[in-house]
C-alpha cells in the first residue's frame, strides 16, 4: 500500500503534539532513552500520544530510510499500560539498473498493539521490572515482540536493560518465511537537571532465519542519548553508530560492519504529549 506523504504527516503530527501540549502534571512514563524501555507505566486513565521518527542510513550500496510511528497510550491500571500504533516508512535506495539513479518507495506497514505490565518499581524496590508484549499485523506479515525490562535509579543516574525476542513470519505464494531477532539494549543516563538528562545507549542485535542453524550476524551499536521533559510533554533522541561486529555477516565475512541487512547509523527522535 502506498503512503506518499509520510514526512509531511509526521511533521504535522509532531507540531500538533507540541502545540496541543498543556500542563497536566509530570508523566510516570517519560522515556529517557529512545531504544531502551523503562519499567514505568502511565497512571490509570492517563493518555498520551507519541510521534516517532527513525532515520537509518549507510549500507553497502546507497540506502536511506525513515521509519515513522504514531502511538496512542493509555493507562489501564496503575501498573498496566496499553498502546496502539500506526506504522509506515519511506525508503531511498540505489537503482541496480541505472548507475547513479535512486529508487524511492513508500509503504504503510500495518498496525501494532502493545501491553506493558510493571511488576516492580525502580524506586520503591531494589530494581524496576516490567514485561512487554507487542504485536504487529500487516497484509502479509506478523511480528511478535517480547521484552524483559529492568531499570534502576541511582541518585542522579538511571540504568536500564532490555532483553528482546522478536520472531516474525512473512506469508507469500512460496510459503512462510520465518526470521528471529534477539536484541540486548542498555541505557545509562545522568540527570543534569530535573528536566534534562543525557547519557549513552548500547544495542546488540542478533539475526537468525529459517535457512541457517546459527546466527546470520551479531551487531553492536552505541551512541549518545538525550531527554527533555516538561509538565505534559517530553522529547528524547538517540544517535547510534555501528561498531565492529561481534559476528560478521555470513554473506560478507570480509566486512567488519554488517551493512547488508543493517545500517551504519540509526537516529531516533520521539515526542510525547499528554492528552
Amino acid at each position: 500500500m502506498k503512503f506518499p506523504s509520510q514526512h509531511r504527516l509526521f511533521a504535522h503530527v509532531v507540531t500538533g503534539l507540541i502545540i496541543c501540549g498543556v500542563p497536566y502534571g509530570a508523566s510516570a512514563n517519560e522515556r529517557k532513552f529512545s531504544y531502551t524501555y523503562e519499567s514505568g507505566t502511565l497512571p490509570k486513565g492517563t493518555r498520551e500520544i507519541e510521534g516517532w521518527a527513525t532515520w537509518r542510513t549507510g549500507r553497502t550500496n546507497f540506502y536511506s530510510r525513515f521509519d515513522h510511528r504514531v502511538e496512542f497510550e493509555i493507562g489501564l491500571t496503575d501498573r498496566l499500560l496499553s498502546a496502539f500504533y500506526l506504522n509506515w516508512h519511506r525508503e531511498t535506495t540505489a537503482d541496480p539498473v541505472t548507475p547513479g539513479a535512486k529508487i524511492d518507495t513508500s509503504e504503510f506497514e500495518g498496525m501494532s498493539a502493545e501491553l506493558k505490565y510493571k511488576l516492580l518499581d525502580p524506586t520503591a524496590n531494589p530494581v524496576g521490572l516490567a514485561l512487554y508484549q507487542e504485536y504487529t499485523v500487516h497484509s502479509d506479515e506478523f511480528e511478535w515482540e517480547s521484552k524483559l525490562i529492568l531499570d534502576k535509579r541511582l541518585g542522579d543516574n538511571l540504568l536500564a536493560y532490555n532483553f528482546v525476542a522478536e520472531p516474525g513470519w512473512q506469508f507469500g505464494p512460496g510459503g512462510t518465511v520465518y526470521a528471529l531477532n534477539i536484541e540486548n539494549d542498555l541505557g545509562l543516563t545522568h540527570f543534569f537537571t530535573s528536566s534534562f538528562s543525557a547519557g549513552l545507549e548500547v544495542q546488540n542485535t542478533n539475526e537468525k532465519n529459517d535457512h541457517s542453524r546459527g546466527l546470520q550476524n551479531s551487531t553492536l551499536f552505541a551512541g549518545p542519548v538525550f531527554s527533555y521533559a516538561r509538565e505534559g510533554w517530553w522529547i528524547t533522541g538517540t544517535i547510534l553508530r555501528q561498531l565492529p561486529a561481534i559476528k560478521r555477516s555470513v554473506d560478507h565475512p570480509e566486512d567488519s560492519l554488517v551493512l547488508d541487512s543493517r545500517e551504519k547509523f540509526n537516529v531516533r527522535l520521539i515526542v510525547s504529549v499528554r492528552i
Side-chain angles (χ1 to χ4, degrees):
M1 179 184 298
K2 297 297 181 182
F3 209 107
S5 55
Q6 294 93 329
H7 303 299
R8 194 182 335 159
L9 177 58
F10 181 77
H12 291 334
V13 169
V14 171
T15 302
L17 293 181
I18 295 174
I19 292 175
C20 294
V22 292
Y24 287 98
S27 168
N29 197 42
E30 295 169 2
R31 290 188 57 178
K32 305 305 177 184
F33 308 103
S34 305
Y35 291 86
T36 310
Y37 281 65
E38 301 150 63
S39 62
T41 55
L42 290 172
K44 181 180 179 180
T46 305
R47 296 168 296 175
E48 288 186 355
I49 290 181
E50 294 181 9
W52 297 45
T54 304
W55 181 43
R56 299 158 48 190
T57 186
R59 287 195 177 187
T60 304
N61 298 312
F62 181 85
Y63 185 85
S64 177
R65 172 170 167 146
F66 283 89
D67 292 316
H68 297 308
R69 311 186 86 180
V70 173
E71 175 187 5
F72 172 76
E73 289 188 346
I74 184 170
L76 299 179
T77 72
D78 288 341
R79 289 180 174 268
L80 179 62
L81 176 150
S82 179
F84 299 92
Y85 301 79
L86 295 177
N87 312 299
W88 69 97
H89 78 261
R90 181 180 179 86
E91 185 177 274
T92 305
T93 57
D95 189 330
V97 178
T98 306
K102 304 292 190 296
I103 299 175
D104 290 318
T105 57
S106 302
E107 186 177 5
F108 177 68
E109 292 193 307
M111 296 178 291
S112 303
E114 166 195 330
L115 288 171
K116 182 168 74 167
Y117 186 74
K118 181 173 69 173
L119 297 168
L120 299 174
D121 186 89
T123 303
N125 302 110
V127 66
L129 173 63
L131 301 178
Y132 176 100
Q133 294 285 294
E134 181 181 318
Y135 309 96
T136 299
V137 178
H138 192 17
S139 57
D140 59 352
E141 295 181 37
F142 176 74
E143 294 179 354
W144 172 19
E145 181 178 341
S146 301
K147 295 181 191 282
L148 175 67
I149 302 170
L150 297 169
D151 60 351
K152 182 61 181 176
R153 179 75 182 260
L154 300 168
D156 290 332
N157 300 300
L158 174 65
L159 179 67
Y161 166 76
N162 299 168
F163 174 78
V164 185
E166 185 180 7
W169 295 264
Q170 186 170 16
F171 312 100
T176 302
V177 177
Y178 170 79
L180 174 66
N181 182 60
I182 300 293
E183 191 174 296
N184 295 282
D185 299 319
L186 181 66
L188 173 63
T189 196
H190 177 78
F191 291 86
F192 292 92
T193 70
S194 59
S195 298
F196 177 75
S197 65
L200 177 72
E201 279 199 86
V202 179
Q203 183 183 73
N204 163 241
T205 63
N206 304 272
E207 291 184 312
K208 188 181 185 306
N209 58 41
D210 54 2
H211 302 300
S212 62
R213 295 183 178 179
L215 294 176
Q216 289 294 106
N217 59 67
S218 180
T219 60
L220 188 64
F221 293 82
V225 59
F226 79 91
S227 178
Y228 183 78
R230 301 291 291 180
E231 290 191 23
W233 66 274
W234 55 262
I235 182 172
T236 185
T238 302
I239 302 173
L240 293 182
R241 190 192 193 285
Q242 189 179 157
L243 304 177
I246 298 173
K247 176 181 173 55
R248 299 185 179 190
S249 172
V250 171
D251 297 326
H252 298 276
E254 70 281 0
D255 296 332
S256 61
L257 300 180
V258 177
L259 299 179
D260 50 353
S261 61
R262 297 289 178 177
E263 300 75 38
K264 186 178 292 186
F265 293 98
N266 288 345
V267 182
R268 175 171 291 174
L269 185 69
I270 306 175
V271 178
S272 178
V273 168
R274 182 79 61 86
I275 58 174

